[in-house]
Amino acid sequence: MFKNFYHFPEETNVPSPQLVYYLDQIKANIEKTIREADGAEFLWPHVKTHKMADMIRLQLSYGIKRFKCATIAEAEMAASCGADAVILAYPLVGPNIARFLTLRKTYPDTLFLALEDDLGMLKRLSEAADGPIPYLVDVNPGFYRTGVKTEDLPAFLHSASSVPNVECKGFHVYDGQNHQSDLAARQQAVDACEEAFFRVYRQLQEEGLSADIVVFGGTPSMPCFAPKLSKYPHAWLSPGTLFVNDYGYASALPDMVFPPAAALLTRVVSHPRPGCFTLDLGTKAVSTDQAVPGLLLDVEAEPLFQSEEHWAFRMKEGHEEERPSIGDVLYVLPSHICPTTALYPEVPVIENGHLSAVWPVTARNRKITI
């Protein structure tokens, strides 16, 4: 199912465990995303998957100029690279209100958009502001993580319109619940979200409460929203994971052929009993928020258990003689690349089959300078 192009000559000198990025595949994934969106100008991608300034600079070279972030550090990173616009797609509460305002002052050439779904926090942002603060309304189209329910948008915006020093610029519509493996089922669910939102949007226009920007969905929704963009002159797509991609999405979304451009280099450290082996890839080295942390490539083995520094496997019946030797380099595709990347301070980058660079995970920590 997954072609193993992950080995490279310099791997013998790379300590394990280590996340590795593959630049040729990353570029191919960026180019394919741009084609499917019908242009880089229609993309407003999330940076949480990689958290790397080098990745943002690469995307900027392809004409992608707007970015979405989850932390102040990610927003600072994007602005420092020269992003035209940055959405901080996380509720502003506590000290992050002041940090957001500092961001605006520090990088005046970047448009920063806050995300709001609570009138109380909107008023706090207003009270702290020294001028008009642009924001997007966080819309809840059925995911129920954050956001104003679609049908409640008119009441929210009527109340928000009386709050001084803040200016609604549009809407962030994240339908995280729509990741159905069957494309037709996913399309039907996305269509329902779109129709419900734009029904209310037209009402807001009639009441003089509308705003231009509409940022849609994430990686699974992208192929469903992309054909519709021509209908909406101020709409953008907001994928994140697919530029690097992972085993989770690659296996769950068969219609989206974006080969994983990251893998975990690991080594066999023990043969604890016949037919078994142990990797140095424990829970501290790969995200375990999925039922299966990752896919082991090229070895017919099944996972037994995982602890902090170890992952034990047993060879499948009939393949016992193929057990890898102690010290062998193997590769695992992480099921969830976003939190896996955050476990590493830097990532070796392979280009044309060779180690060509090391990219710092710039915004791994939640504070850079601001």
Side-chain angles (χ1 to χ4, degrees):
M1 181 179 181
F2 297 98
K3 182 180 178 182
N4 191 343
F5 58 83
Y6 301 101
H7 286 279
F8 56 99
E10 299 86 356
E11 67 185 17
T12 56
N13 298 319
V14 176
S16 56
Q18 176 61 58
L19 181 65
V20 182
Y21 273 21
Y22 296 83
L23 185 57
D24 300 315
Q25 188 59 57
I26 289 172
K27 289 180 177 179
N29 288 347
I30 292 173
E31 290 163 3
K32 184 174 182 179
T33 304
I34 290 172
R35 288 195 303 272
E36 294 203 0
D38 202 28
E41 65 270 25
F42 300 114
L43 291 170
W44 205 315
H46 212 310
V47 310
K48 68 181 180 65
T49 296
H50 56 82
K51 297 176 178 283
M52 297 180 188
D54 287 286
M55 179 72 89
I56 289 179
R57 285 189 282 265
L58 176 63
Q59 292 175 322
L60 283 166
S61 74
Y62 279 92
I64 300 171
K65 298 179 180 180
R66 302 172 181 86
F67 299 91
K68 188 166 75 171
C69 307
T71 68
I72 297 289
E74 291 172 3
E76 180 180 354
M77 173 185 69
S80 71
C81 292
D84 282 0
V86 172
I87 297 171
L88 186 60
Y90 201 82
L92 281 175
V93 296
N96 279 350
I97 293 175
R99 294 176 73 200
F100 179 79
L101 297 176
T102 301
L103 265 177
R104 284 170 39 83
K105 293 177 182 177
T106 306
Y107 296 96
D109 294 332
T110 297
L111 170 66
F112 289 98
L113 293 159
L115 202 65
E116 296 291 348
D117 69 355
D118 179 78
L119 289 172
M121 288 301 107
L122 188 65
K123 290 174 182 177
R124 290 196 180 187
L125 179 62
S126 167
E127 292 165 358
D130 56 2
I133 305 297
Y135 75 95
L136 302 181
V137 179
D138 189 12
V139 180
N140 170 16
F143 192 32
Y144 294 99
R145 185 175 66 181
T146 62
V148 179
K149 290 175 64 176
T150 302
E151 59 267 31
D152 294 337
L153 286 173
F156 179 85
L157 280 168
H158 272 293
S159 297
S161 64
S162 64
V163 179
N165 292 330
V166 292
E167 182 180 4
C168 178
K169 292 291 188 179
F171 306 89
H172 176 259
V173 188
Y174 180 63
D175 59 330
Q177 76 277 18
N178 290 331
H179 47 77
Q180 298 84 349
S181 290
D182 179 69
L183 177 59
R186 195 182 335 135
Q187 184 72 61
Q188 185 177 19
V190 169
D191 288 347
C193 286
E194 178 215 2
E195 291 166 8
F197 171 75
F198 277 103
R199 190 182 310 118
V200 174
Y201 184 84
R202 287 188 290 271
Q203 176 186 341
L204 295 172
Q205 286 181 313
E206 294 171 0
E207 297 176 9
L209 293 169
S210 186
D212 286 339
I213 297 172
V214 181
V215 179
F216 283 122
T219 291
S221 295
M222 192 192 77
C224 303
F225 278 124
K228 304 167 180 285
L229 280 189
S230 60
K231 295 165 56 178
Y232 312 119
H234 301 287
W236 287 266
L237 301 170
S238 188
T241 301
L242 57 75
F243 298 104
V244 180
N245 215 3
D246 53 30
Y247 171 57
Y249 271 162
S251 58
L253 305 173
D255 59 288
M256 301 187 70
V257 185
F258 290 82
L264 289 154
L265 186 158
T266 180
R267 286 182 172 86
V268 178
V269 295
S270 182
H271 286 167
R273 53 181 169 170
C276 296
F277 63 94
T278 302
L279 301 178
D280 58 358
L281 192 68
T283 59
K284 292 178 179 176
V286 58
S287 172
T288 57
D289 66 332
Q290 305 297 305
V292 178
L295 175 69
L296 176 63
L297 299 174
D298 293 342
V299 180
E300 294 294 328
E302 54 189 9
L304 294 175
F305 64 90
Q306 193 178 34
S307 53
E308 290 183 24
E309 310 290 354
H310 306 83
W311 196 357
F313 284 80
R314 176 174 56 213
M315 298 300 297
K316 293 181 179 179
E317 186 175 352
H319 295 273
E320 291 84 357
E321 298 302 317
E322 302 168 11
R323 180 174 65 168
S325 300
I326 293 175
D328 279 358
V329 173
L330 301 178
Y331 285 86
V332 168
L333 298 180
S335 291
H336 197 179
I337 184 60
C338 309
T340 296
T341 297
L343 298 172
Y344 294 87
E346 59 185 21
V347 174
V349 177
I350 312 307
E351 184 176 16
N352 297 322
H354 289 273
L355 178 61
S356 64
V358 176
W359 287 358
V361 185
T362 316
R364 180 192 185 207
N365 296 325
R366 290 182 176 269
K367 178 182 177 181
I368 299 178
T369 65
I370 294 172

